[in-house]
Amino acid sequence: MDEVQVVVAHSERATLRVGDVFLKVDADQARIDAEVEAMALAPVPTPEVLWRKPPVLAIAALPGTTLGRLGGPSTGSPAAWAAVGAAIRKLHGAPLPPGVGRARRGVGELAAELDAECALLVANGLLPADLVTRNRQVAEAALRPWTPAFTHGDLQIAHVFVEEDEVTGIIDWSEAGQGDALYDLATFTLGHEEHLDDVLAGYGGDVDLEVVRAWWAVRSLLAVRWLTEHGFDPFAPGCEVDVLRSRM
């Protein structure tokens, strides 16, 4: 019998691997529905849905490996990173999905959320005030109108699989929907700034790097407290707090 591997688990959801099958357990049925719909619409490789029985979604494992993880070493050739950039561009150029994704929050809503989170980070002693203040300034560049695109919404490096410099699949689409394309680019390159040029070589077109860096600050500021409260370590080398420190 195959061993059960816990991929990720916290109070909101859990993902288990049994052989070549991933089992996603999520009490929020809307997230599972959004994920299945997004995978069906996305013009990029996605996992095969094997079956659904709420609150569980079973999907097939993908061939290949990821290009690394946040806080760990990155792998893959420049061509592999560029291939991911090209896949992201294809996604962003696709017809808009019906739903609103994580990155589609209005500017006012996002600014209010960010300000409240920054205040809590300082008040709770999680981060020094100067670090928070500086990154809140950097984050301001992301708070502008944008043209909605088909976005993944949580395009972490661990969610993209590559084999022989080709993208074999992208997983975890529960945050997908209409959003800011640069949010996806920032999420994928978070903590791996050294590969941003490779990704943009595949993505093509003019990309505002100040906005990408701003989204790094936004995502990191909003993540630190949640990660700490759910058993993760944003203070580990190369993770969110180091990303914030790099902007000082």
Side-chain angles (χ1 to χ4, degrees):
M1 180 176 179
D2 288 315
E3 182 180 85
V4 176
Q5 174 190 358
V6 179
V7 179
V8 63
H10 49 76
S11 60
E12 295 180 7
R13 68 190 86 168
T15 300
L16 311 175
R17 180 170 185 169
V18 185
D20 289 332
V21 177
F22 285 89
L23 302 175
K24 303 190 70 173
V25 185
D26 196 326
D28 187 343
Q29 186 60 36
R31 270 198 298 250
I32 294 294
D33 291 343
E35 178 160 9
V36 173
E37 180 180 36
M39 288 193 293
L41 294 173
V44 295
T46 61
E48 176 189 1
V49 175
L50 300 176
W51 51 265
R52 296 173 66 190
K53 187 175 182 180
V56 182
L57 170 67
I59 61 175
L62 290 167
T65 59
T66 66
L67 293 175
R69 60 180 177 82
L70 184 61
S74 58
T75 60
S77 66
W81 287 85
V84 177
I88 297 172
R89 169 65 83 177
K90 188 173 183 180
L91 174 67
H92 292 166
L96 292 175
V100 174
R102 178 179 176 83
R104 185 62 178 92
R105 286 168 291 182
V107 171
E109 179 187 356
L110 179 58
E113 180 183 357
L114 192 57
D115 288 339
E117 191 63 32
C118 287
L120 286 171
L121 289 171
V122 175
N124 294 344
L126 282 171
L127 294 176
D130 61 339
L131 183 64
V132 173
T133 299
R134 170 57 183 154
N135 277 276
R136 178 60 183 86
Q137 293 169 347
V138 172
E140 190 66 24
L143 306 180
R144 87 283 180 226
W146 57 76
T147 301
F150 190 152
T151 57
H152 180 279
D154 191 24
L155 198 60
Q156 301 177 44
I157 188 174
H159 292 165
V160 182
F161 286 75
V162 175
E163 187 173 55
E164 295 182 354
D165 296 341
E166 293 187 2
V167 176
T168 57
I170 300 175
I171 64 172
D172 284 1
W173 292 81
S174 61
E175 305 288 352
Q178 299 179 29
D180 182 2
L182 298 193
Y183 181 82
D184 272 355
L185 289 173
T187 302
F188 183 68
T189 56
L190 184 75
H192 293 287
E193 186 173 356
E194 71 277 10
H195 290 293
L196 179 57
D197 286 345
D198 296 327
V199 173
L200 296 182
Y203 189 79
D206 293 329
V207 171
D208 190 332
L209 297 183
E210 183 180 4
V211 175
V212 172
R213 296 185 181 102
W215 277 123
W216 288 337
V218 171
R219 186 174 175 98
S220 298
L221 287 169
L222 293 179
V224 168
R225 188 169 60 90
W226 187 95
L227 291 169
T228 301
E229 293 175 352
H230 287 78
F232 301 99
D233 186 9
F235 293 86
C239 291
E240 285 81 1
V241 176
D242 273 356
V243 171
L244 295 173
R245 288 171 178 155
S246 71
R247 304 273 71 85
M248 296 296 287

